[in-house]
Amino acid sequence: MTTTVRPGTPQRPSAVRLGLHRATIELKGFFRERDAVAFTFAMPAVILALLGSIFDGVYPGSDVTSAQYLAPSMIAAGVASTTFINLGTGIAADRDDGTLRRLRGAPMPPSAYFIGKILMALVVTVGETVLLLGIAVLAFDLSLPTDPVRWLTFGWVFLLGATACALTGIAASSLAGSARSAGAVMNLPYLVLAFISGVFYTPVGQLPEPLLTVGSLFPLKWMAQGFRSVFLPDSILPQEVVPSWEPGRIALVLAAWCIGGMVLCLTTFRWRGRRSR
Amino acid sequence: MTETPAIRVRGLRRTYGDTVAVAGLDLDVGAGEVVALLGPNGAGKTTTIEILEGHRHRDAGAVNVLGHDPAHADLDWRARIGIVTQDSGDLGELTVHESVSHFAHYYPRPHDPEQVIELVGLTAKATARVRTLSGGQRRRLDVALGIVGRPRLLFLDEPTTGFDPQARRRFWDLIRQLAGAGGCTILLSTHYLQEAEALADRVAVIVGGRIVADATPAALVGRATARTVVRWSDGRQETDDPAALIATLTTRYGGAVPELTVSRPSLEDVYLDLIGDGS
Ligand SMILES: Nc1ncnc2c1ncn2[C@@H]1O[C@H](COP(=O)(O)OP(=O)(O)OP(=O)(O)O)[C@@H](O)[C@H]1O
Ligand SMILES: [Mg+2]
């Protein structure tokens, strides 16, 4: 037979290469599902447009309108939605429709799957962020900072926040028993957190103490605070919980969630659905 | 090519709650062999196959597939296995070609994706989205994805469900080609007795999670031993040597024997008998 292979040759492709491959496949799959694309992008944008036009007024002691205050927080909520919800429901669907089973049957290093998912979520999140920034600038006169230091802050808050939410979303996908329940399972914590993190309810300093305490345990509150520190003047600080942007604490909490999310992923991830084990 | 069996199963058990799906199953599949699993719905075929694939865990028993325990197999082992599961609903938004060439990337020595698509007869649908495929076409894609990695051992769980007769014949040719020139070992489950008869070196019948018969299709219908029934317009006779009887009859009638039929118990008769009509 000519099919005999010398041991060790040829090599299976590396996890990174396969991860990049998966990312293109994931992106194709995502963008071809038109209605899902439309609603994923539209949800935070519509909420920003609605809440931004409902509330008006300027915060005392500053020239920040309530719409401008809302915008950076909505960007944080947008990041959470395109990472946490997108990955949580997407992976639950993969588990349900046999995608995971088929991939497990192939010689795919598990990390390739996660690299693909996270790269896909990152691309979608960047798109969402640009969309929300566009709405904030065009409709609500948010001015973009010129100071590169602020953009640097934007960069690390974005990366840490998106990673923390992505990993938590991957871990949370295992909570959903099926693809059909996943939407509800993922949206409940998301909506609750959006309220108690001072995104839908502004300004954050006005939240009742117990809710604030709970909200402060999760990454959304800190990501929103980080983005406000990028786009809002310091004159708005009296509306915050403490009159400081607390960059050190933001970095600490988001990094802790990245690590915790990673541990959760590694310990709770299920390749198989509850129906077939 | 190899002396050790490709699959060796001893005392395999699997229960789901109170349901005993596999109840002490023994099975050997030699390297290069094509074995068909037959059995009524719920007999435990899928459970058995998925345990051998490493997709489900087992409660007891010894399982060896290509030298490894599938429950703890690595990626190199996976690269030598091809899997076609009983059902699938993934890949919807990708095209046929994208799906096959994507999966080709995982394997060290894949077949050419175009060639595989041609082999399963999907060339005309290569650029169609998977969700637009008909049931049988989807099934053919599953087969394409199962073989694109050039497996040494191929699991096929009811691969031809939904195939039209022509596609089924074509699939049979493909399987013979894989098993023959390709040297691939194949374990397939099927409800089509004709398919088992056409493809399998050996047929294993599962009932209630146990193998109740395991033999070549010919041996199973007892062709080697059972008596053939010869019927004609005014007679009927059981014989071990139908050719001789027909020759005698031909001389007696001085030509064609009127209404001559020669029948043997079919695999279906034997199968229905094995599983017991009630089950
Ligand atoms: N995930 C599961 N949870 C509970 N019971 C299961 C599960 N999978 C299979 N069973 C049960 O185990 C038994 C064997 O099922 P299996 O799918 O192995 O049968 P099968 O021989 O493949 O049947 P079919 O010909 O219908 O495909 C059945 O009684 C089935 O109800
Ligand atoms: Mg089955």
Side-chain angles (χ1 to χ4, degrees):
Chain A
M1 287 292 315
T2 51
T3 51
T4 321
V5 194
R6 271 163 283 122
T9 55
Q11 291 287 309
R12 279 182 294 103
S14 76
V16 174
R17 234 189 83 195
L18 290 174
L20 293 175
H21 249 284
R22 288 240 30 102
T24 60
I25 290 289
E26 294 278 5
L27 283 167
K28 277 181 190 162
F30 179 84
F31 282 105
R32 284 177 188 173
E33 219 157 329
R34 295 269 165 72
D35 49 346
V37 176
F39 282 97
T40 303
F41 279 111
M43 212 250 277
V46 168
I47 293 175
L48 172 61
L50 273 180
L51 292 183
S53 11
I54 290 170
F55 303 120
D56 54 4
V58 172
Y59 289 106
S62 74
D63 54 3
V64 177
T65 67
S66 34
Q68 288 165 350
Y69 186 90
L70 174 70
S73 316
M74 268 316 297
I75 291 176
V79 168
S81 130
T82 50
T83 52
F84 178 77
I85 293 187
N86 173 9
L87 290 183
T89 52
I91 294 174
D94 281 357
R95 196 176 284 122
D96 230 26
D97 68 17
T99 302
L100 286 186
R101 185 177 50 168
R102 198 193 291 280
L103 289 172
R104 271 306 246 186
M108 180 197 72
S111 51
Y113 176 74
F114 297 112
I115 293 172
K117 275 283 179 212
I118 289 176
L119 286 180
M120 181 272 280
L122 215 59
V123 171
V124 175
T125 305
V126 167
E128 179 75 62
T129 304
V130 169
L131 175 67
L132 290 176
L133 268 181
I135 293 174
V137 170
L138 296 178
F140 304 121
D141 292 324
L142 184 77
S143 50
L144 298 180
T146 45
D147 184 359
V149 175
R150 288 194 175 224
W151 283 111
L152 190 72
T153 307
F154 179 82
W156 69 253
V157 172
F158 181 88
L159 269 184
L160 280 181
T163 309
C165 292
L167 291 170
T168 318
I170 293 174
S173 73
S174 300
L175 295 175
S178 72
R180 260 201 277 172
S181 64
V185 169
M186 303 301 294
N187 268 298
L188 180 68
Y190 172 77
L191 289 175
V192 168
L193 283 182
F195 274 103
I196 67 176
S197 303
V199 176
F200 294 166
Y201 185 92
T202 52
V204 64
Q206 306 262 305
L207 274 170
E209 184 69 34
L211 294 186
L212 247 181
T213 314
V214 177
S216 304
L217 296 175
F218 295 94
L220 184 56
K221 188 249 178 197
W222 301 97
M223 194 175 17
Q225 188 170 321
F227 286 150
R228 285 196 297 272
S229 81
V230 172
F231 295 102
L232 302 184
D234 288 356
S235 56
I236 197 71
L237 275 174
Q239 305 299 331
E240 294 293 314
V241 183
V242 293
S244 153
W245 292 122
E246 308 176 280
R249 184 170 287 196
I250 294 172
L252 206 70
V253 176
L254 292 183
W257 270 95
C258 287
I259 296 167
M262 177 73 86
V263 172
L264 273 179
C265 280
L266 293 175
T267 51
T268 65
F269 194 82
R270 290 186 292 119
W271 286 96
R272 277 163 262 178
R274 289 190 184 145
R275 280 185 300 125
S276 60
R277 266 184 289 179
Chain B
M1 214 154 85
T2 331
E3 323 72 36
T4 52
I7 298 174
R8 190 180 164 82
V9 180
R10 288 293 175 272
L12 182 64
R13 286 186 64 82
R14 172 70 209 252
T15 55
Y16 303 98
D18 294 337
T19 312
V20 181
V22 183
L25 181 140
D26 298 336
L27 181 70
D28 284 299
V29 178
E33 223 180 351
V34 179
V35 174
L37 283 181
L38 291 179
N41 292 140
K45 299 181 296 296
T46 298
T47 303
T48 303
I49 292 176
E50 294 210 349
I51 289 171
L52 300 184
E53 293 165 349
H55 274 332
R56 294 192 199 198
H57 73 78
R58 61 184 188 265
D59 295 325
V63 177
N64 188 304
V65 176
L66 293 184
H68 291 265
D69 180 343
H72 309 285
D74 60 7
L75 296 182
D76 287 320
W77 180 83
R78 294 228 160 269
R80 289 184 280 144
I81 305 255
I83 294 175
V84 176
T85 54
Q86 186 168 353
D87 51 0
S88 65
D90 54 338
L91 305 168
E93 296 301 324
L94 299 177
T95 68
V96 167
H97 187 269
E98 283 167 346
S99 306
V100 177
S101 55
H102 175 64
F103 274 85
H105 275 102
Y106 293 119
Y107 296 89
R109 289 177 340 109
H111 285 292
D112 173 31
E114 263 107 62
Q115 217 178 317
V116 172
I117 292 170
E118 171 73 41
L119 274 176
V120 298
L122 277 181
T123 305
K125 286 282 173 185
T127 56
R129 299 273 172 94
V130 172
R131 71 175 153 71
T132 67
L133 297 181
S134 73
Q137 290 166 341
R138 223 209 120 87
R139 212 62 199 123
R140 297 197 222 171
L141 173 64
D142 286 332
V143 172
L145 294 174
I147 64 174
V148 71
R150 216 184 282 268
R152 279 187 41 205
L153 170 61
L154 181 59
F155 293 102
L156 301 157
D157 198 355
E158 296 187 27
T160 59
T161 306
F163 278 29
D164 61 53
Q166 196 188 355
R168 175 163 294 131
R169 296 285 162 162
R170 201 170 163 159
F171 171 80
W172 291 357
D173 288 341
L174 172 61
I175 292 302
R176 291 191 186 109
Q177 202 176 319
L178 288 170
C184 184
T185 308
I186 294 170
L187 179 63
L188 84 156
S189 75
T190 180
H191 288 297
Y192 301 104
L193 294 135
Q194 209 192 350
E195 182 162 286
E197 207 164 14
L199 291 179
D201 300 319
R202 254 176 51 228
V203 172
V205 181
I206 304 190
V207 179
R210 261 191 217 93
I211 303 277
V212 296
D214 182 349
T216 63
L220 207 58
V221 295
R223 283 182 184 177
T225 52
R227 309 193 105 194
T228 304
V229 184
V230 177
R231 292 188 186 84
W232 63 99
S233 59
D234 46 354
R236 177 187 179 282
Q237 194 175 328
E238 285 187 21
T239 173
D240 287 329
D241 191 354
L245 177 60
I246 292 165
T248 319
L249 287 170
T250 310
T251 7
R252 192 193 306 168
Y253 283 94
V257 185
E259 292 167 42
L260 174 72
T261 62
V262 181
S263 63
R264 296 173 290 196
S266 68
L267 183 56
E268 189 154 330
D269 295 330
V270 177
Y271 172 76
L272 289 174
D273 196 41
L274 270 172
I275 65 173
D277 273 347
S279 68

